[in-house]
Amino acid sequence: MATDVHGPVSPQATGAPRAAHAVHVESLTRSFDGRAVIDRLRLDVQPGEFVALLGRSGCGKSTLLRILAGLDRDIEGTVLVPRRKAVAFQAPRLMPWKKVWRNVLLGLPGKPERAVADQALEEVGLSHRSGAWPKTLSGGEAQRASLARALVREPDLLLLDEPFGALDALTRIKAQRLVGELWQRRGCAVLLVTHDVEEALLLADRVLVMDEGVIAYETPVELERPRAVTDPRFAELRGRLLERLGVDTAADAA
Ligand SMILES: Nc1ncnc2c1ncn2[C@@H]1O[C@H](COP(=O)(O)OP(=O)(O)OP(=O)(O)O)[C@@H](O)[C@H]1O
Ligand SMILES: [Mg+2]
């Protein structure tokens, strides 16, 4: 039953009619030292869908993302993802000895021109820092450079692992907005790991909660965009998700 299939399910990759799924995961198990962190997990993401993944620390979110990114293949089960995928982590992971634009192009096949990097940097509002050294970037700028590096790959699936976790509140709001705009413009599927329930509800079409190695709960977010935290339906969804996450909202309010 161990079929580690990383295959083309994107229309771009195959030229086939629009694929039914951007991500198709079935019976996925990943164990560390005999302990199944992911335990027969099932997950489908539609092309162009924005999905947020919540769950307590250590429940396996990053492990799942790394598997979808093709960075961990020591698995059992079925994993189908588009060939074109990109991942951005909480820490921007820029190479300090390469200028920003070279970081953006890092790992791309062939010898892409600087203009390719500059276009992606323009999209994230960072073209003026293209020739800078990573250490001279602010936290928010470094995070945007990391996003540009994901975008040059023209992904059908964008995997984001707490990309805004280290940012201050204002920069974070701007970065969230940017990701929302990029997603709408690019039309790629997004899987965003976050600890922030509001962030999940502001951005996603669907919110998942991971627990005990599986997707234990999920809810669609059927609110018009742009969304407002003041919307009573937003508050209701937030309450339900916090409850699922084991946060006692009544005790918090007391
Ligand atoms: N390479 C590894 N070797 C051994 N155990 C690992 C390895 N990678 C992850 N784990 C364990 O698997 C579990 C899930 O880790 P993971 O990083 O996926 O959690 P997470 O949900 O992303 O948590 P957080 O919200 O804190 O980032 C943890 O108990 C972790 O210690
Ligand atoms: Mg993690």
Side-chain angles (χ1 to χ4, degrees), residues 88-237:
F89 298 98
Q90 173 171 11
R93 299 189 184 186
L94 302 173
M95 302 292 173
W97 57 88
K98 285 185 186 287
K99 289 189 171 172
V100 168
W101 70 271
R102 287 196 187 277
N103 262 285
V104 169
L105 297 181
L106 209 65
L108 275 188
K111 273 200 176 273
E113 307 252 328
R114 176 171 176 169
V116 173
D118 283 346
Q119 198 189 334
L121 286 165
E122 173 91 48
E123 243 188 293
V124 298
L126 206 63
S127 50
H128 60 295
R129 305 293 275 139
S130 171
W133 295 106
K135 70 171 189 305
T136 69
L137 299 182
S138 72
E141 286 173 339
Q143 199 49 263
R144 279 185 279 154
S146 168
L147 264 181
R149 187 169 53 188
L151 291 177
V152 290
R153 281 150 181 79
E154 301 195 352
D156 294 317
L157 174 64
L158 182 58
L159 301 161
L160 302 172
D161 196 352
E162 299 190 55
F164 320 125
L167 303 179
D168 66 88
L170 190 60
T171 313
R172 187 181 176 109
I173 290 168
K174 285 187 188 162
Q176 285 169 352
R177 208 170 287 160
L178 175 65
V179 165
E181 285 165 12
L182 291 172
W183 165 68
Q184 289 194 319
R185 201 178 319 138
R186 294 290 189 112
C188 58
V190 177
L191 184 59
L192 167 75
V193 169
T194 176
H195 277 119
D196 184 335
V197 174
E198 285 195 359
E199 180 170 292
L201 288 171
L202 282 172
L203 289 169
D205 295 316
R206 187 158 56 107
V207 180
L208 316 175
V209 177
M210 194 168 169
D211 192 25
E212 303 281 333
V214 295
I215 305 302
Y217 178 75
E218 67 167 82
T219 178
V221 187
E222 284 159 344
L223 305 174
E224 312 73 50
R225 294 181 168 90
R227 294 172 180 161
V229 291
T230 47
D231 186 332
R233 292 171 301 165
F234 190 102
E236 199 242 309
L237 278 170

Side-chain angles (χ1 to χ4, degrees), residues 32 35 37 56-63 162 195:
F32 295 112
R35 182 174 67 99
V37 167
R56 64 177 173 74
S57 180
C59 74
K61 303 180 297 296
S62 296
T63 302
E162 299 190 55
H195 277 119

